[in-house]
Amino acid sequence: MQEVIRPQLLPKRQVKLAPLLARANLLITRDIEWANIMFAFEQENRYAIVDACYPGSPVGHIREQSNIIFRQLLRSRRPFIARITDAMGNEIFRVRRPFWLINSTIYAEVDGEEVGVVHRRWHLWRRIYDLYLGNKQFAVVENPGFWNWTFTLKDEDDKVLAQIDRDWRGVGFELFTDAGQYVIRFGDDSSPKSGLAAAIQELEVARPLTMSERAVAVALAVSLDNDYFSRSGGWGLPILIAGE
């Protein structure tokens, strides 16, 4: 059953996050960066957020803000702030990622206040992330690496809390662009399935995530895109992209 949000029972922070994050599934798609493809010029990342049940128009956007020089020199290790907004452009929360050398860290902030953080833990091939609210860890991701593109959030008892899947978009997109697509699944949803939601497998979870925890999960998706799925340069000439 779709989660019922009662604003009068939620803290102010939860009320602000709920209109965007109180959904069973979110589809986050990164825009094609033509300057990066053609000239190896690193652009600010842009993403559209879609409710899988209503795919006709975005319910929100993610827009990076970063220094143009740092983007070209540091590439995926650059520091940046990304604003997560509703469809009208009103900021809901933001994520902040400092420069990193070995292990990346990304923070979720609401109204300038840090609510959670994601730390990447170094491993030779596995992709491991620790997710915190304040100083308390609420989830861990232990992806086996290589060609596995499913990142499952689990609690201390190894029970599933949520899942992030990076979707294959076709040879043209995957080889020549940074236009990744991610499905964040927050749990079972018995509401009528329509649009893209009909193709998304339901996920059984140990408990529903709070709105703050969901904001940290979105921050993780942004971090994954930059850590593992961003190209380091372009091709230096125009290329016709043909998606499947």
Side-chain angles (χ1 to χ4, degrees):
M1 180 177 295
Q2 192 168 12
E3 184 177 0
V4 177
I5 303 300
R6 299 174 179 172
Q8 69 274 19
L9 301 180
L10 294 174
K12 181 179 178 181
R13 179 191 303 161
Q14 307 294 319
V15 174
K16 184 171 185 177
L17 295 172
L20 179 63
L21 301 182
R23 305 169 189 270
N25 303 293
L26 290 177
L27 185 67
I28 300 178
T29 304
R30 182 168 164 181
D31 293 348
I32 295 177
E33 299 170 358
W34 292 107
N36 191 14
I37 295 170
M38 300 172 67
F39 309 113
F41 180 84
E42 191 71 35
Q43 297 176 257
E44 292 178 327
N45 294 341
R46 297 286 187 269
Y47 309 79
I49 305 175
V50 173
D51 185 332
C53 289
Y54 308 99
S57 59
V59 296
H61 299 275
I62 303 176
R63 303 181 185 278
E64 176 190 338
Q65 296 175 337
S66 59
N67 182 279
I68 186 172
I69 297 176
F70 286 165
R71 287 202 308 274
Q72 312 316 311
L73 296 178
L74 302 178
R75 298 291 179 171
S76 63
R77 286 178 166 79
R78 66 183 179 268
F80 65 81
I81 292 173
R83 299 174 61 244
I84 292 83
T85 68
D86 61 20
M88 303 300 293
N90 302 307
E91 183 176 309
I92 306 298
F93 68 103
R94 62 176 55 188
V95 298
R96 175 175 57 85
R97 196 162 109 135
F99 165 77
W100 62 278
L101 185 60
I102 299 175
N103 294 318
S104 65
T105 297
I106 194 166
Y107 300 87
E109 301 174 342
V110 180
D111 295 330
E113 179 183 353
E114 179 187 320
V115 297
V117 60
V118 180
H119 295 296
R120 177 184 171 190
R121 202 190 319 162
W122 188 89
H123 192 277
L124 185 59
W125 66 86
R126 297 171 68 191
R127 300 160 175 176
I128 304 176
Y129 290 85
D130 298 308
L131 287 74
Y132 292 84
L133 281 185
N135 295 322
K136 181 177 176 58
Q137 184 173 358
F138 72 89
V140 64
V141 172
E142 296 183 333
N143 176 279
F146 299 106
W147 291 104
N148 189 303
W149 288 1
T150 298
F151 300 83
T152 303
L153 284 65
K154 295 185 177 182
D155 63 16
E156 59 184 1
D157 297 319
D158 203 38
K159 295 181 179 179
V160 175
L161 298 176
Q163 196 169 81
I164 301 174
D165 289 302
R166 188 186 189 278
D167 283 354
W168 174 263
R169 300 192 67 191
V171 174
F173 277 102
E174 299 299 339
L175 291 183
F176 302 127
T177 81
D178 277 339
Q181 184 169 271
Y182 303 84
V183 178
I184 304 180
R185 299 191 291 160
F186 289 122
D188 288 343
D189 179 21
S190 59
S191 60
K193 299 297 188 299
S194 61
L196 297 174
I200 298 176
Q201 184 179 1
E202 291 188 6
L203 181 71
E204 293 186 8
V205 295
R207 65 171 178 83
L209 295 182
T210 67
M211 295 301 110
S212 295
E213 290 170 336
R214 294 182 184 211
V216 178
V218 172
L220 171 61
V222 174
S223 197
L224 290 172
D225 186 54
N226 283 270
D227 285 344
Y228 299 112
F229 303 109
S230 290
R231 296 182 55 83
S232 60
W235 295 88
L237 74 166
I239 293 178
L240 177 63
I241 303 300
E244 290 185 348

